[in-house]
Amino acid sequence: MYALPSNLQHVAIIMDGNGRWAQQRQLPRLEGHRQGSLVAEKIVKYAAQRDIPYITLYAFSTENWSRSAEEIRGIFALLGFFIDTKIKSLAQYNIKVQVCGAINKLSVDLQKKLEQVVQKTQHNTGTVVNLAINYGGKQDIQQACLALQQQGVVWEHENDIEPFLFTKNIPAVDILLRTGGHYRLSNFLLWQSAYAELFFLSVLWPDFTQKHLDAVIMEFQQRVRNYGGVST
Ligand code: FPP
């Protein structure tokens, strides 16, 4: 197994293509999301095995509310099921779960499940799995500005703002990876991805495997990151 690059802290994934995967098989869209959730589980466990420090999964965006009530209910049910049935194995993998997004808009039941899994895994020391649920990058910055204002914080530097983002305590994104063939960020971790390396893969999320992740990490290793400077 290849060594993980030392400058790789945070992988963030837009898991796109579930609907098309299902359509191609004449299946309901929700079946695509169900397959997608199984892939999410595999990738999270693989990230833990590889000691990737942080992985963020875009499970539901602030814009996803425009989908049918049935699809929205289905995605939330899958998230609830994932939490209910995977807590034990997450513990075995030493995974710590965190959540980012406006979760106060979710059902009380799902909020409770999320709070429970965060609490139960809080002392684990392995990979942090950050679930982005009802998350929007613009809304994240907006709520941080509001909190700064309400708490009367006088801020001068970006470091003064970061503790107010949903992702406080999580480092900036190194790899931003989107499956499904579209070349856009869809309001995901806008602030946090300022210097992320971007990877757009045509593979649909339910067909994504650890081999795809390995290939992305290997290419990441080849990229020179200048952070606005000049390569030497
Ligand atoms: C985007 O594909 C996917 C989503 C909006 C939902 C992702 C949710 C899951 C994988 C299920 C739960 C997650 C976890 C972590 C257990 P799309 O529907 O936009 O696909 P399309 O572009 O092909 O229509």
Side-chain angles (χ1 to χ4, degrees), residues 14-21 23 29 32-38 40-41 57-61 64 67 71 75 78-79 82 131 178 180 182 204-205:
I14 302 175
M15 308 178 286
D16 196 18
N18 295 342
R20 279 166 285 161
W21 183 92
Q23 272 158 9
R29 290 181 58 82
H33 294 313
R34 203 182 65 79
Q35 280 302 324
S37 68
L38 299 177
E41 181 189 350
L57 299 176
Y58 206 6
F60 194 85
S61 76
N64 287 151
R67 299 191 176 206
E71 185 169 348
I75 294 174
L78 279 169
L79 277 163
F82 178 80
L131 299 173
R178 180 184 191 130
H182 296 309
L204 304 177
W205 177 251

Side-chain angles (χ1 to χ4, degrees), residues 186-203:
S186 298
N187 203 15
F188 188 41
L189 298 175
L190 300 178
W191 174 293
Q192 298 83 344
S193 298
Y195 274 99
E197 292 296 324
L198 307 181
F199 294 83
F200 297 99
L201 275 62
S202 56
V203 62

